[in-house]
Amino acid sequence: MGRNLTFEIFRYNPLDASSYPHMQKFQLEEHPSMTLFIALNLIREKQDASLQFDFCCRAGICGSCGMVINGRPGLACHTQTCDLPDHITLHPLPVFKLLGDLSVDTGTWFRNVGQKIESWIHTSKEFDPAAQEERMDNELATQIFELDRCIECGCCVAACGTARMREDFIGATAINRMARFYIDPRDNRTPADYYDLIGDDQGVFGCMGLLACDSVCPKQLPLHDQLGIMRRMVSMESVRGILPEFLRKKMQGCGHSHCSGKG
């Protein structure tokens, strides 16, 4: 027999006038290799069919099952119960709109931020559907892929002190997304364009440097490294015309080997 686990789960349905925020306890026997994803499905199937939580892939790819696990944002499908104490407390991710119980609306938040930072390739080239895809060398493709692995689970946003206090802060994942476009040679934007998008306290200067985003990212993205790189880039852009151009460009080095031609 496995351990007897106690789950204390946040319950509240905003669409039900009779519902109120409270914690509800469930008991469940632990099985080998049990994840929180499996445990929550067992609770919903055998104890309370009304329990709301999100899941899709159960492989750490879709990002749907983000929640606060014993006070720390994480993915239910990535979290094994054997790594947790026998009393497990689950809350929905903060910052995002609550849909019910452990389910939150991350999609609207990420869509709004994506529009705010113009999260697409900006180019003057006309698209030719018959042409071959533009080639790039392997090193550059690997750098872009590394920054493009974000699954938009919302864990970094939920762990961010600034995002908890300010609704207008775009968060580490959005700044990481901007770094991805900055090193992409197909994107024609200049450092001045990036400065206009993220060069304020809603962007790179809003971060308090607590490193929580790095700590909780399930894909182990270098979020704070990229924030530092983009902050340095826009800082140097802000002193254009003050510092000598050769010195500004030298100090502006983005930390990637393929963005020296920008600006």
Side-chain angles (χ1 to χ4, degrees):
M1 289 183 59
R3 293 184 300 170
N4 186 35
L5 302 177
T6 298
F7 290 86
E8 194 169 358
I9 301 177
F10 177 85
R11 304 300 305 273
Y12 176 53
N13 183 357
L15 300 180
D16 183 353
S18 64
S19 179
Y20 62 95
H22 65 284
M23 302 298 290
Q24 183 175 357
K25 289 186 178 180
F26 299 92
Q27 302 289 328
L28 192 66
E29 182 183 344
E30 186 177 37
H31 297 158
S33 302
M34 176 182 280
T35 64
L36 280 182
F37 166 84
I38 294 173
L40 287 170
N41 273 283
L42 287 173
I43 291 173
R44 184 156 67 181
E45 291 171 5
K46 298 182 178 182
Q47 300 186 42
D48 191 339
S50 69
L51 179 62
Q52 297 182 64
F53 62 94
D54 297 319
F55 68 91
C56 183
C57 73
R58 72 178 184 180
I61 297 173
C62 71
S64 299
C65 63
M67 59 188 66
V68 179
I69 306 163
N70 284 356
R72 180 184 177 87
L75 298 182
C77 68
H78 260 200
T79 306
Q80 293 204 343
T81 56
C82 65
D83 295 327
L84 299 172
D86 56 12
H87 189 284
I88 301 169
T89 303
L90 303 177
H91 290 87
L93 293 179
V95 179
F96 305 103
K97 178 183 177 181
L98 178 67
L99 300 178
D101 299 339
L102 302 176
S103 175
V104 296
D105 180 8
T106 56
T108 298
W109 191 92
F110 278 100
R111 181 170 64 249
N112 290 340
V113 168
Q115 292 172 344
K116 185 174 182 178
I117 65 172
E118 300 180 14
S119 180
W120 54 84
I121 294 287
H122 288 58
T123 180
S124 57
K125 293 183 180 179
E126 278 198 35
F127 176 66
D128 181 1
Q132 286 191 351
E133 185 176 355
E134 190 171 339
R135 296 179 181 274
M136 62 177 67
D137 64 67
N138 289 339
E139 181 187 354
L140 175 56
T142 299
Q143 290 183 25
I144 293 175
F145 173 75
E146 172 66 13
L147 302 182
D148 226 5
R149 293 187 299 108
C150 175
I151 57 176
E152 298 187 350
C153 63
C155 289
C156 65
V157 179
C160 176
T162 304
R164 295 286 295 271
M165 295 187 295
R166 296 186 50 165
E167 293 183 358
D168 58 358
F169 183 57
I170 63 175
T173 182
I175 296 169
N176 178 77
R177 186 74 173 162
M178 294 303 292
R180 172 255 182 274
F181 287 109
Y182 185 56
I183 67 172
D184 194 322
R186 298 167 297 181
D187 194 295
N188 297 150
R189 284 177 287 188
T190 66
D193 296 323
Y194 288 98
Y195 179 85
D196 290 340
L197 288 171
I198 60 173
D200 54 21
D201 56 2
Q202 297 177 26
V204 293
F205 299 115
C207 172
M208 296 187 292
L210 301 178
L211 302 179
C213 55
D214 258 11
S215 178
V216 303
C217 178
K219 309 306 285 187
Q220 298 182 325
L221 293 171
L223 296 175
H224 217 267
D225 287 348
Q226 297 310 311
L227 187 144
I229 289 168
M230 297 303 284
R231 178 183 284 171
R232 181 174 61 190
M233 182 271 291
V234 298
S235 295
M236 290 301 100
E237 182 60 28
S238 70
V239 294
R240 181 188 289 271
I242 300 175
L243 286 180
E245 189 68 7
F246 79 92
L247 181 59
R248 189 185 66 83
K249 281 188 174 288
K250 182 178 180 180
M251 296 176 65
Q252 185 175 304
C254 75
H256 297 283
S257 59
H258 291 85
C259 57
S260 57
K262 298 255 184 177

